[in-house]
Amino acid sequence: GENVEQHPSTLSVQEGDSAVIKCTYSDSASNYFPWYKQELGKGPQLIIDIRSNVGEKKDQRIAVTLNKTAKHFSLHITETQPEDSAVYFCAADGAAGNKLTFGGGTRVLVKP
Amino acid sequence: GAGVSQSPSNKVTEKGKDVELRCDPISGHTALYWYRQSLGQGLEFLIYFQGNSAPDKSGLPSDRFSAERTGGSVSTLTIQRTQQEDSAVYLCASSEDSDRGREEFFGQGTRLTVV
């Protein structure tokens, strides 16, 4: 089955700096790569996703890049703000495409 | 409802007791998922339902865990003879269907504490 690894597990940045989280996946048939943000006491919420026919996607301060050859994808947050502090999860859908396999999560702390 | 609803939000139970956790998915969503999230950890897939198909139970950690989904809507996750290692947040998610690339919408979770 699909295996997704995520790094780093924790990330501390100064407000205004950029944050980058990287994930690798094992199943070359994976086609869908979402990123979720989980705030304390809440369920994860989708913030951006990318599909295998696209190499990069941007939504305001958030961007995701995908390298299918190397089987890795990354989340980039620019001009970080304190409200970006949360746990971020990457995921991939695997060959069957009917459920997501999640990375271990990255705890991001943005220091004011 | 507007989102995925889970109840209770918190549950404390004694070791050895059975517990039931409930999930109300978004209306019209045919796919429903259960995950377990231990403290500070990632999301561990437990079970998934899609329409009237047989559920994918491949993530259930032991035969003490079971789930059902009645009428293609509400789902109940049951843990029998709870153990302390069952303590975690149990998250439910639903999506429009299980076609590739469908967003999963999560509930707030049920925090289970086994004492």
Side-chain angles (χ1 to χ4, degrees), chain A residues 29 31-32 36 38 41-44 46 51 89 93-94 97-100 102 104, chain B residues 33 35 37 42-43 45 48 56 91 98-104 106-108:
Chain A
N31 191 54
Y32 176 61
Y36 285 81
Q38 186 177 28
K42 298 184 178 180
L46 181 75
R51 299 171 193 275
F89 292 97
D93 67 343
N98 55 8
K99 62 179 184 284
L100 298 174
F102 287 84
Chain B
Y33 311 80
Y35 295 89
Q37 186 174 33
L43 300 168
F45 166 78
Y48 132 81
D56 176 354
L91 289 161
S98 67
D99 279 358
R100 306 195 70 176
R102 294 292 182 178
E103 177 182 356
E104 293 183 20
F106 284 83
Q108 301 259 51

PDB file of all heavy atoms in Angstrom, chain A residues 29 31-32 36 38 41-44 46 51 89 93-94 97-100 102 104, chain B residues 33 35 37 42-43 45 48 56 91 98-104 106-108:
ATOM      1  N   ALA A  29       1.260   5.249  -8.543  1.00  0.00           N
ATOM      2  CA  ALA A  29      -0.088   5.416  -9.101  1.00  0.00           C
ATOM      3  C   ALA A  29      -0.885   6.495  -8.374  1.00  0.00           C
ATOM      4  O   ALA A  29      -2.003   6.820  -8.797  1.00  0.00           O
ATOM      5  CB  ALA A  29      -0.848   4.093  -9.037  1.00  0.00           C
ATOM      6  N   ASN A  31      -2.473   9.870  -7.380  1.00  0.00           N
ATOM      7  CA  ASN A  31      -2.915  10.877  -8.330  1.00  0.00           C
ATOM      8  C   ASN A  31      -3.377  12.162  -7.664  1.00  0.00           C
ATOM      9  O   ASN A  31      -3.534  13.186  -8.316  1.00  0.00           O
ATOM     10  CB  ASN A  31      -4.078  10.273  -9.137  1.00  0.00           C
ATOM     11  CG  ASN A  31      -4.467  11.088 -10.320  1.00  0.00           C
ATOM     12  OD1 ASN A  31      -3.627  11.411 -11.161  1.00  0.00           O
ATOM     13  ND2 ASN A  31      -5.726  11.446 -10.393  1.00  0.00           N
ATOM     14  N   TYR A  32      -3.613  12.099  -6.361  1.00  0.00           N
ATOM     15  CA  TYR A  32      -4.228  13.231  -5.656  1.00  0.00           C
ATOM     16  C   TYR A  32      -3.473  13.451  -4.357  1.00  0.00           C
ATOM     17  O   TYR A  32      -3.265  12.512  -3.586  1.00  0.00           O
ATOM     18  CB  TYR A  32      -5.701  12.904  -5.392  1.00  0.00           C
ATOM     19  CG  TYR A  32      -6.446  13.937  -4.579  1.00  0.00           C
ATOM     20  CD1 TYR A  32      -6.597  15.246  -5.040  1.00  0.00           C
ATOM     21  CD2 TYR A  32      -7.021  13.602  -3.361  1.00  0.00           C
ATOM     22  CE1 TYR A  32      -7.288  16.183  -4.300  1.00  0.00           C
ATOM     23  CE2 TYR A  32      -7.704  14.540  -2.618  1.00  0.00           C
ATOM     24  CZ  TYR A  32      -7.839  15.826  -3.085  1.00  0.00           C
ATOM     25  OH  TYR A  32      -8.526  16.756  -2.359  1.00  0.00           O
ATOM     26  N   TYR A  36      -3.729  19.249   4.611  1.00  0.00           N
ATOM     27  CA  TYR A  36      -4.705  19.604   5.621  1.00  0.00           C
ATOM     28  C   TYR A  36      -4.035  20.389   6.740  1.00  0.00           C
ATOM     29  O   TYR A  36      -2.868  20.146   7.078  1.00  0.00           O
ATOM     30  CB  TYR A  36      -5.360  18.352   6.219  1.00  0.00           C
ATOM     31  CG  TYR A  36      -6.383  17.694   5.318  1.00  0.00           C
ATOM     32  CD1 TYR A  36      -5.981  16.849   4.284  1.00  0.00           C
ATOM     33  CD2 TYR A  36      -7.737  17.916   5.497  1.00  0.00           C
ATOM     34  CE1 TYR A  36      -6.919  16.244   3.457  1.00  0.00           C
ATOM     35  CE2 TYR A  36      -8.679  17.318   4.671  1.00  0.00           C
ATOM     36  CZ  TYR A  36      -8.261  16.485   3.656  1.00  0.00           C
ATOM     37  OH  TYR A  36      -9.197  15.891   2.843  1.00  0.00           O
ATOM     38  N   GLN A  38      -4.625  21.388  10.781  1.00  0.00           N
ATOM     39  CA  GLN A  38      -5.397  21.026  11.960  1.00  0.00           C
ATOM     40  C   GLN A  38      -5.044  21.965  13.106  1.00  0.00           C
ATOM     41  O   GLN A  38      -3.911  21.971  13.594  1.00  0.00           O
ATOM     42  CB  GLN A  38      -5.143  19.579  12.383  1.00  0.00           C
ATOM     43  CG  GLN A  38      -6.037  19.125  13.528  1.00  0.00           C
ATOM     44  CD  GLN A  38      -5.833  17.673  13.887  1.00  0.00           C
ATOM     45  OE1 GLN A  38      -4.758  17.102  13.700  1.00  0.00           O
ATOM     46  NE2 GLN A  38      -6.870  17.018  14.420  1.00  0.00           N
ATOM     47  N   GLY A  41      -7.724  21.173  18.885  1.00  0.00           N
ATOM     48  CA  GLY A  41      -9.093  20.820  19.248  1.00  0.00           C
ATOM     49  C   GLY A  41     -10.055  20.708  18.092  1.00  0.00           C
ATOM     50  O   GLY A  41     -11.262  20.539  18.295  1.00  0.00           O
ATOM     51  N   LYS A  42      -9.548  20.803  16.878  1.00  0.00           N
ATOM     52  CA  LYS A  42     -10.419  20.732  15.712  1.00  0.00           C
ATOM     53  C   LYS A  42      -9.998  19.594  14.788  1.00  0.00           C
ATOM     54  O   LYS A  42      -8.904  19.057  14.892  1.00  0.00           O
ATOM     55  CB  LYS A  42     -10.383  22.051  14.945  1.00  0.00           C
ATOM     56  CG  LYS A  42     -10.888  23.248  15.744  1.00  0.00           C
ATOM     57  CD  LYS A  42     -10.916  24.495  14.885  1.00  0.00           C
ATOM     58  CE  LYS A  42     -11.464  25.686  15.659  1.00  0.00           C
ATOM     59  NZ  LYS A  42     -11.501  26.920  14.832  1.00  0.00           N
ATOM     60  N   GLY A  43     -10.898  19.253  13.864  1.00  0.00           N
ATOM     61  CA  GLY A  43     -10.550  18.272  12.868  1.00  0.00           C
ATOM     62  C   GLY A  43      -9.724  18.902  11.758  1.00  0.00           C
ATOM     63  O   GLY A  43      -9.722  20.116  11.585  1.00  0.00           O
ATOM     64  N   PRO A  44      -8.987  18.104  10.994  1.00  0.00           N
ATOM     65  CA  PRO A  44      -8.209  18.650   9.876  1.00  0.00           C
ATOM     66  C   PRO A  44      -9.115  19.291   8.831  1.00  0.00           C
ATOM     67  O   PRO A  44     -10.238  18.841   8.605  1.00  0.00           O
ATOM     68  CB  PRO A  44      -7.514  17.406   9.303  1.00  0.00           C
ATOM     69  CG  PRO A  44      -7.536  16.392  10.397  1.00  0.00           C
ATOM     70  CD  PRO A  44      -8.798  16.661  11.154  1.00  0.00           C
ATOM     71  N   LEU A  46      -9.016  20.876   4.765  1.00  0.00           N
ATOM     72  CA  LEU A  46      -8.256  20.989   3.521  1.00  0.00           C
ATOM     73  C   LEU A  46      -7.877  22.441   3.264  1.00  0.00           C
ATOM     74  O   LEU A  46      -8.709  23.340   3.369  1.00  0.00           O
ATOM     75  CB  LEU A  46      -9.099  20.483   2.356  1.00  0.00           C
ATOM     76  CG  LEU A  46      -8.425  20.517   0.983  1.00  0.00           C
ATOM     77  CD1 LEU A  46      -7.409  19.391   0.870  1.00  0.00           C
ATOM     78  CD2 LEU A  46      -9.451  20.424  -0.142  1.00  0.00           C
ATOM     79  N   ARG A  51      -3.128  17.750  -8.180  1.00  0.00           N
ATOM     80  CA  ARG A  51      -3.310  16.477  -8.879  1.00  0.00           C
ATOM     81  C   ARG A  51      -2.120  16.219  -9.779  1.00  0.00           C
ATOM     82  O   ARG A  51      -1.361  17.132 -10.103  1.00  0.00           O
ATOM     83  CB  ARG A  51      -4.617  16.513  -9.678  1.00  0.00           C
ATOM     84  CG  ARG A  51      -5.797  16.702  -8.769  1.00  0.00           C
ATOM     85  CD  ARG A  51      -7.101  16.958  -9.511  1.00  0.00           C
ATOM     86  NE  ARG A  51      -8.124  17.422  -8.572  1.00  0.00           N
ATOM     87  CZ  ARG A  51      -8.883  16.619  -7.856  1.00  0.00           C
ATOM     88  NH1 ARG A  51      -8.768  15.305  -7.988  1.00  0.00           N
ATOM     89  NH2 ARG A  51      -9.786  17.099  -7.014  1.00  0.00           N
ATOM     90  N   PHE A  89      -0.817  18.316   7.654  1.00  0.00           N
ATOM     91  CA  PHE A  89      -0.700  16.933   7.179  1.00  0.00           C
ATOM     92  C   PHE A  89      -0.727  16.904   5.655  1.00  0.00           C
ATOM     93  O   PHE A  89      -1.586  17.532   5.034  1.00  0.00           O
ATOM     94  CB  PHE A  89      -1.856  16.072   7.683  1.00  0.00           C
ATOM     95  CG  PHE A  89      -1.858  15.828   9.156  1.00  0.00           C
ATOM     96  CD1 PHE A  89      -2.641  16.602   9.995  1.00  0.00           C
ATOM     97  CD2 PHE A  89      -1.079  14.827   9.701  1.00  0.00           C
ATOM     98  CE1 PHE A  89      -2.645  16.381  11.370  1.00  0.00           C
ATOM     99  CE2 PHE A  89      -1.089  14.596  11.072  1.00  0.00           C
ATOM    100  CZ  PHE A  89      -1.873  15.380  11.897  1.00  0.00           C
ATOM    101  N   ASP A  93      -3.400   9.524  -2.382  1.00  0.00           N
ATOM    102  CA  ASP A  93      -4.553   8.627  -2.482  1.00  0.00           C
ATOM    103  C   ASP A  93      -4.210   7.190  -2.852  1.00  0.00           C
ATOM    104  O   ASP A  93      -5.038   6.311  -2.738  1.00  0.00           O
ATOM    105  CB  ASP A  93      -5.605   9.197  -3.438  1.00  0.00           C
ATOM    106  CG  ASP A  93      -5.126   9.252  -4.886  1.00  0.00           C
ATOM    107  OD1 ASP A  93      -3.897   9.158  -5.123  1.00  0.00           O
ATOM    108  OD2 ASP A  93      -5.983   9.419  -5.768  1.00  0.00           O
ATOM    109  N   GLY A  94      -2.991   6.918  -3.308  1.00  0.00           N
ATOM    110  CA  GLY A  94      -2.635   5.536  -3.598  1.00  0.00           C
ATOM    111  C   GLY A  94      -3.295   5.004  -4.855  1.00  0.00           C
ATOM    112  O   GLY A  94      -4.095   5.669  -5.502  1.00  0.00           O
ATOM    113  N   GLY A  97      -7.151   4.779  -4.910  1.00  0.00           N
ATOM    114  CA  GLY A  97      -7.745   6.101  -4.996  1.00  0.00           C
ATOM    115  C   GLY A  97      -8.985   6.308  -4.173  1.00  0.00           C
ATOM    116  O   GLY A  97      -9.680   7.312  -4.331  1.00  0.00           O
ATOM    117  N   ASN A  98      -9.295   5.373  -3.277  1.00  0.00           N
ATOM    118  CA  ASN A  98     -10.541   5.520  -2.539  1.00  0.00           C
ATOM    119  C   ASN A  98     -10.337   5.958  -1.098  1.00  0.00           C
ATOM    120  O   ASN A  98     -11.307   6.218  -0.396  1.00  0.00           O
ATOM    121  CB  ASN A  98     -11.330   4.211  -2.573  1.00  0.00           C
ATOM    122  CG  ASN A  98     -10.522   3.037  -2.059  1.00  0.00           C
ATOM    123  OD1 ASN A  98      -9.423   3.202  -1.544  1.00  0.00           O
ATOM    124  ND2 ASN A  98     -11.063   1.852  -2.206  1.00  0.00           N
ATOM    125  N   LYS A  99      -9.114   6.044  -0.639  1.00  0.00           N
ATOM    126  CA  LYS A  99      -8.864   6.582   0.689  1.00  0.00           C
ATOM    127  C   LYS A  99      -7.479   7.175   0.722  1.00  0.00           C
ATOM    128  O   LYS A  99      -6.620   6.853  -0.095  1.00  0.00           O
ATOM    129  CB  LYS A  99      -9.014   5.508   1.766  1.00  0.00           C
ATOM    130  CG  LYS A  99      -8.060   4.331   1.692  1.00  0.00           C
ATOM    131  CD  LYS A  99      -8.343   3.389   2.844  1.00  0.00           C
ATOM    132  CE  LYS A  99      -7.350   2.235   2.886  1.00  0.00           C
ATOM    133  NZ  LYS A  99      -7.629   1.245   1.862  1.00  0.00           N
ATOM    134  N   LEU A 100      -7.279   8.091   1.635  1.00  0.00           N
ATOM    135  CA  LEU A 100      -6.023   8.813   1.742  1.00  0.00           C
ATOM    136  C   LEU A 100      -5.101   8.168   2.762  1.00  0.00           C
ATOM    137  O   LEU A 100      -5.551   7.643   3.778  1.00  0.00           O
ATOM    138  CB  LEU A 100      -6.301  10.260   2.164  1.00  0.00           C
ATOM    139  CG  LEU A 100      -7.128  11.105   1.205  1.00  0.00           C
ATOM    140  CD1 LEU A 100      -7.447  12.462   1.834  1.00  0.00           C
ATOM    141  CD2 LEU A 100      -6.395  11.293  -0.110  1.00  0.00           C
ATOM    142  N   PHE A 102      -2.044   9.400   5.156  1.00  0.00           N
ATOM    143  CA  PHE A 102      -1.541  10.669   5.668  1.00  0.00           C
ATOM    144  C   PHE A 102      -0.092  10.557   6.121  1.00  0.00           C
ATOM    145  O   PHE A 102       0.351   9.505   6.599  1.00  0.00           O
ATOM    146  CB  PHE A 102      -2.392  11.137   6.853  1.00  0.00           C
ATOM    147  CG  PHE A 102      -3.748  11.646   6.446  1.00  0.00           C
ATOM    148  CD1 PHE A 102      -4.806  10.770   6.247  1.00  0.00           C
ATOM    149  CD2 PHE A 102      -3.974  13.001   6.265  1.00  0.00           C
ATOM    150  CE1 PHE A 102      -6.051  11.231   5.861  1.00  0.00           C
ATOM    151  CE2 PHE A 102      -5.225  13.475   5.882  1.00  0.00           C
ATOM    152  CZ  PHE A 102      -6.259  12.586   5.674  1.00  0.00           C
ATOM    153  N   GLY A 104       2.923  11.948   8.777  1.00  0.00           N
ATOM    154  CA  GLY A 104       2.906  12.000  10.232  1.00  0.00           C
ATOM    155  C   GLY A 104       2.594  13.370  10.821  1.00  0.00           C
ATOM    156  O   GLY A 104       2.380  13.483  12.025  1.00  0.00           O
TER     157      GLY A 104
ATOM    158  N   TYR B  33     -15.393   7.788   6.488  1.00  0.00           N
ATOM    159  CA  TYR B  33     -14.123   7.241   6.967  1.00  0.00           C
ATOM    160  C   TYR B  33     -14.019   7.443   8.478  1.00  0.00           C
ATOM    161  O   TYR B  33     -14.423   8.475   9.008  1.00  0.00           O
ATOM    162  CB  TYR B  33     -12.941   7.971   6.316  1.00  0.00           C
ATOM    163  CG  TYR B  33     -13.020   8.106   4.813  1.00  0.00           C
ATOM    164  CD1 TYR B  33     -13.804   9.100   4.225  1.00  0.00           C
ATOM    165  CD2 TYR B  33     -12.294   7.264   3.980  1.00  0.00           C
ATOM    166  CE1 TYR B  33     -13.868   9.240   2.851  1.00  0.00           C
ATOM    167  CE2 TYR B  33     -12.349   7.396   2.599  1.00  0.00           C
ATOM    168  CZ  TYR B  33     -13.137   8.388   2.039  1.00  0.00           C
ATOM    169  OH  TYR B  33     -13.201   8.523   0.685  1.00  0.00           O
ATOM    170  N   TYR B  35     -10.899   7.547  11.435  1.00  0.00           N
ATOM    171  CA  TYR B  35      -9.470   7.599  11.701  1.00  0.00           C
ATOM    172  C   TYR B  35      -9.241   7.667  13.208  1.00  0.00           C
ATOM    173  O   TYR B  35     -10.089   8.124  13.964  1.00  0.00           O
ATOM    174  CB  TYR B  35      -8.827   8.844  11.072  1.00  0.00           C
ATOM    175  CG  TYR B  35      -8.855   8.903   9.572  1.00  0.00           C
ATOM    176  CD1 TYR B  35      -9.939   9.473   8.894  1.00  0.00           C
ATOM    177  CD2 TYR B  35      -7.801   8.407   8.812  1.00  0.00           C
ATOM    178  CE1 TYR B  35      -9.964   9.547   7.507  1.00  0.00           C
ATOM    179  CE2 TYR B  35      -7.817   8.482   7.421  1.00  0.00           C
ATOM    180  CZ  TYR B  35      -8.895   9.051   6.777  1.00  0.00           C
ATOM    181  OH  TYR B  35      -8.909   9.121   5.419  1.00  0.00           O
ATOM    182  N   GLN B  37      -6.383   9.214  15.982  1.00  0.00           N
ATOM    183  CA  GLN B  37      -5.236  10.111  16.124  1.00  0.00           C
ATOM    184  C   GLN B  37      -4.780  10.083  17.580  1.00  0.00           C
ATOM    185  O   GLN B  37      -5.440  10.642  18.453  1.00  0.00           O
ATOM    186  CB  GLN B  37      -5.606  11.534  15.699  1.00  0.00           C
ATOM    187  CG  GLN B  37      -4.421  12.490  15.689  1.00  0.00           C
ATOM    188  CD  GLN B  37      -4.774  13.849  15.119  1.00  0.00           C
ATOM    189  OE1 GLN B  37      -5.899  14.337  15.261  1.00  0.00           O
ATOM    190  NE2 GLN B  37      -3.813  14.482  14.456  1.00  0.00           N
ATOM    191  N   GLY B  42      -0.002  11.233  13.834  1.00  0.00           N
ATOM    192  CA  GLY B  42      -0.740  11.409  12.589  1.00  0.00           C
ATOM    193  C   GLY B  42      -2.072  10.702  12.614  1.00  0.00           C
ATOM    194  O   GLY B  42      -2.552  10.254  13.650  1.00  0.00           O
ATOM    195  N   LEU B  43      -2.671  10.594  11.438  1.00  0.00           N
ATOM    196  CA  LEU B  43      -4.000  10.016  11.284  1.00  0.00           C
ATOM    197  C   LEU B  43      -3.868   8.563  10.857  1.00  0.00           C
ATOM    198  O   LEU B  43      -3.313   8.265   9.802  1.00  0.00           O
ATOM    199  CB  LEU B  43      -4.790  10.811  10.242  1.00  0.00           C
ATOM    200  CG  LEU B  43      -4.996  12.281  10.585  1.00  0.00           C
ATOM    201  CD1 LEU B  43      -5.521  13.047   9.387  1.00  0.00           C
ATOM    202  CD2 LEU B  43      -5.955  12.424  11.743  1.00  0.00           C
ATOM    203  N   PHE B  45      -5.752   5.361   9.595  1.00  0.00           N
ATOM    204  CA  PHE B  45      -6.993   4.911   8.961  1.00  0.00           C
ATOM    205  C   PHE B  45      -7.542   3.679   9.676  1.00  0.00           C
ATOM    206  O   PHE B  45      -6.791   2.745  10.004  1.00  0.00           O
ATOM    207  CB  PHE B  45      -6.725   4.575   7.492  1.00  0.00           C
ATOM    208  CG  PHE B  45      -7.838   3.802   6.828  1.00  0.00           C
ATOM    209  CD1 PHE B  45      -8.986   4.443   6.418  1.00  0.00           C
ATOM    210  CD2 PHE B  45      -7.719   2.434   6.636  1.00  0.00           C
ATOM    211  CE1 PHE B  45     -10.010   3.725   5.802  1.00  0.00           C
ATOM    212  CE2 PHE B  45      -8.726   1.717   6.028  1.00  0.00           C
ATOM    213  CZ  PHE B  45      -9.877   2.358   5.613  1.00  0.00           C
ATOM    214  N   TYR B  48     -13.541   2.332   6.170  1.00  0.00           N
ATOM    215  CA  TYR B  48     -14.183   3.224   5.216  1.00  0.00           C
ATOM    216  C   TYR B  48     -15.411   2.550   4.614  1.00  0.00           C
ATOM    217  O   TYR B  48     -15.389   1.353   4.315  1.00  0.00           O
ATOM    218  CB  TYR B  48     -13.150   3.670   4.194  1.00  0.00           C
ATOM    219  CG  TYR B  48     -13.524   3.595   2.739  1.00  0.00           C
ATOM    220  CD1 TYR B  48     -14.284   4.596   2.151  1.00  0.00           C
ATOM    221  CD2 TYR B  48     -13.061   2.552   1.948  1.00  0.00           C
ATOM    222  CE1 TYR B  48     -14.588   4.543   0.806  1.00  0.00           C
ATOM    223  CE2 TYR B  48     -13.358   2.499   0.609  1.00  0.00           C
ATOM    224  CZ  TYR B  48     -14.127   3.498   0.034  1.00  0.00           C
ATOM    225  OH  TYR B  48     -14.427   3.440  -1.293  1.00  0.00           O
ATOM    226  N   ASP B  56     -14.347  -1.292   3.877  1.00  0.00           N
ATOM    227  CA  ASP B  56     -12.922  -1.624   3.926  1.00  0.00           C
ATOM    228  C   ASP B  56     -12.494  -1.552   5.386  1.00  0.00           C
ATOM    229  O   ASP B  56     -12.332  -0.461   5.925  1.00  0.00           O
ATOM    230  CB  ASP B  56     -12.140  -0.640   3.059  1.00  0.00           C
ATOM    231  CG  ASP B  56     -10.635  -0.840   3.132  1.00  0.00           C
ATOM    232  OD1 ASP B  56     -10.160  -1.664   3.933  1.00  0.00           O
ATOM    233  OD2 ASP B  56      -9.922  -0.162   2.372  1.00  0.00           O
ATOM    234  N   LEU B  91     -11.556  10.424  14.723  1.00  0.00           N
ATOM    235  CA  LEU B  91     -12.057  11.377  13.737  1.00  0.00           C
ATOM    236  C   LEU B  91     -12.871  10.663  12.673  1.00  0.00           C
ATOM    237  O   LEU B  91     -12.497   9.585  12.214  1.00  0.00           O
ATOM    238  CB  LEU B  91     -10.890  12.112  13.074  1.00  0.00           C
ATOM    239  CG  LEU B  91     -10.136  13.115  13.940  1.00  0.00           C
ATOM    240  CD1 LEU B  91      -8.770  13.412  13.346  1.00  0.00           C
ATOM    241  CD2 LEU B  91     -10.929  14.403  14.089  1.00  0.00           C
ATOM    242  N   SER B  98     -16.138   8.085  -3.558  1.00  0.00           N
ATOM    243  CA  SER B  98     -14.763   7.638  -3.379  1.00  0.00           C
ATOM    244  C   SER B  98     -13.963   7.730  -4.670  1.00  0.00           C
ATOM    245  O   SER B  98     -12.903   7.160  -4.771  1.00  0.00           O
ATOM    246  CB  SER B  98     -14.723   6.204  -2.853  1.00  0.00           C
ATOM    247  OG  SER B  98     -15.214   5.322  -3.840  1.00  0.00           O
ATOM    248  N   ASP B  99     -14.509   8.457  -5.658  1.00  0.00           N
ATOM    249  CA  ASP B  99     -13.704   8.666  -6.866  1.00  0.00           C
ATOM    250  C   ASP B  99     -12.389   9.339  -6.477  1.00  0.00           C
ATOM    251  O   ASP B  99     -12.309  10.041  -5.490  1.00  0.00           O
ATOM    252  CB  ASP B  99     -14.452   9.562  -7.860  1.00  0.00           C
ATOM    253  CG  ASP B  99     -15.469   8.756  -8.658  1.00  0.00           C
ATOM    254  OD1 ASP B  99     -15.548   7.541  -8.450  1.00  0.00           O
ATOM    255  OD2 ASP B  99     -16.187   9.354  -9.466  1.00  0.00           O
ATOM    256  N   ARG B 100     -11.421   9.184  -7.270  1.00  0.00           N
ATOM    257  CA  ARG B 100     -10.100   9.698  -6.939  1.00  0.00           C
ATOM    258  C   ARG B 100     -10.112  11.221  -6.844  1.00  0.00           C
ATOM    259  O   ARG B 100     -10.684  11.899  -7.660  1.00  0.00           O
ATOM    260  CB  ARG B 100      -9.096   9.232  -7.975  1.00  0.00           C
ATOM    261  CG  ARG B 100      -9.122   7.729  -8.152  1.00  0.00           C
ATOM    262  CD  ARG B 100      -7.927   7.236  -8.872  1.00  0.00           C
ATOM    263  NE  ARG B 100      -6.746   7.358  -8.058  1.00  0.00           N
ATOM    264  CZ  ARG B 100      -5.560   6.922  -8.452  1.00  0.00           C
ATOM    265  NH1 ARG B 100      -5.421   6.380  -9.631  1.00  0.00           N
ATOM    266  NH2 ARG B 100      -4.514   7.064  -7.679  1.00  0.00           N
ATOM    267  N   GLY B 101      -9.504  11.685  -5.826  1.00  0.00           N
ATOM    268  CA  GLY B 101      -9.338  13.124  -5.682  1.00  0.00           C
ATOM    269  C   GLY B 101     -10.460  13.822  -4.980  1.00  0.00           C
ATOM    270  O   GLY B 101     -10.591  15.030  -5.102  1.00  0.00           O
ATOM    271  N   ARG B 102     -11.273  13.127  -4.196  1.00  0.00           N
ATOM    272  CA  ARG B 102     -12.365  13.778  -3.486  1.00  0.00           C
ATOM    273  C   ARG B 102     -11.901  14.275  -2.130  1.00  0.00           C
ATOM    274  O   ARG B 102     -11.263  13.546  -1.384  1.00  0.00           O
ATOM    275  CB  ARG B 102     -13.523  12.796  -3.302  1.00  0.00           C
ATOM    276  CG  ARG B 102     -14.177  12.399  -4.600  1.00  0.00           C
ATOM    277  CD  ARG B 102     -14.923  13.526  -5.253  1.00  0.00           C
ATOM    278  NE  ARG B 102     -15.598  13.120  -6.479  1.00  0.00           N
ATOM    279  CZ  ARG B 102     -16.342  13.927  -7.211  1.00  0.00           C
ATOM    280  NH1 ARG B 102     -16.518  15.179  -6.850  1.00  0.00           N
ATOM    281  NH2 ARG B 102     -16.925  13.469  -8.303  1.00  0.00           N
ATOM    282  N   GLU B 103     -12.277  15.547  -1.800  1.00  0.00           N
ATOM    283  CA  GLU B 103     -11.919  16.109  -0.512  1.00  0.00           C
ATOM    284  C   GLU B 103     -12.653  15.389   0.594  1.00  0.00           C
ATOM    285  O   GLU B 103     -13.849  15.118   0.492  1.00  0.00           O
ATOM    286  CB  GLU B 103     -12.263  17.586  -0.483  1.00  0.00           C
ATOM    287  CG  GLU B 103     -11.995  18.241   0.870  1.00  0.00           C
ATOM    288  CD  GLU B 103     -12.389  19.698   0.903  1.00  0.00           C
ATOM    289  OE1 GLU B 103     -12.798  20.222  -0.149  1.00  0.00           O
ATOM    290  OE2 GLU B 103     -12.316  20.314   1.985  1.00  0.00           O
ATOM    291  N   GLU B 104     -11.942  15.094   1.661  1.00  0.00           N
ATOM    292  CA  GLU B 104     -12.556  14.521   2.851  1.00  0.00           C
ATOM    293  C   GLU B 104     -12.815  15.646   3.845  1.00  0.00           C
ATOM    294  O   GLU B 104     -11.914  16.431   4.154  1.00  0.00           O
ATOM    295  CB  GLU B 104     -11.649  13.454   3.480  1.00  0.00           C
ATOM    296  CG  GLU B 104     -11.489  12.216   2.612  1.00  0.00           C
ATOM    297  CD  GLU B 104     -10.650  11.134   3.260  1.00  0.00           C
ATOM    298  OE1 GLU B 104     -10.496  11.153   4.500  1.00  0.00           O
ATOM    299  OE2 GLU B 104     -10.146  10.264   2.531  1.00  0.00           O
ATOM    300  N   PHE B 106     -13.743  16.624   7.628  1.00  0.00           N
ATOM    301  CA  PHE B 106     -13.608  16.011   8.940  1.00  0.00           C
ATOM    302  C   PHE B 106     -14.541  16.629   9.969  1.00  0.00           C
ATOM    303  O   PHE B 106     -14.840  17.825   9.938  1.00  0.00           O
ATOM    304  CB  PHE B 106     -12.165  16.162   9.443  1.00  0.00           C
ATOM    305  CG  PHE B 106     -11.191  15.230   8.798  1.00  0.00           C
ATOM    306  CD1 PHE B 106     -10.620  15.534   7.570  1.00  0.00           C
ATOM    307  CD2 PHE B 106     -10.847  14.030   9.408  1.00  0.00           C
ATOM    308  CE1 PHE B 106      -9.721  14.666   6.967  1.00  0.00           C
ATOM    309  CE2 PHE B 106      -9.941  13.162   8.815  1.00  0.00           C
ATOM    310  CZ  PHE B 106      -9.378  13.477   7.597  1.00  0.00           C
ATOM    311  N   GLY B 107     -14.948  15.794  10.925  1.00  0.00           N
ATOM    312  CA  GLY B 107     -15.627  16.285  12.107  1.00  0.00           C
ATOM    313  C   GLY B 107     -14.603  16.750  13.124  1.00  0.00           C
ATOM    314  O   GLY B 107     -13.391  16.709  12.880  1.00  0.00           O
ATOM    315  N   GLN B 108     -15.105  17.197  14.282  1.00  0.00           N
ATOM    316  CA  GLN B 108     -14.223  17.717  15.324  1.00  0.00           C
ATOM    317  C   GLN B 108     -13.557  16.605  16.113  1.00  0.00           C
ATOM    318  O   GLN B 108     -12.601  16.852  16.853  1.00  0.00           O
ATOM    319  CB  GLN B 108     -15.029  18.597  16.294  1.00  0.00           C
ATOM    320  CG  GLN B 108     -15.707  19.754  15.650  1.00  0.00           C
ATOM    321  CD  GLN B 108     -14.962  21.052  15.841  1.00  0.00           C
ATOM    322  OE1 GLN B 108     -13.772  21.137  15.578  1.00  0.00           O
ATOM    323  NE2 GLN B 108     -15.664  22.071  16.298  1.00  0.00           N
TER     324      GLN B 108
END
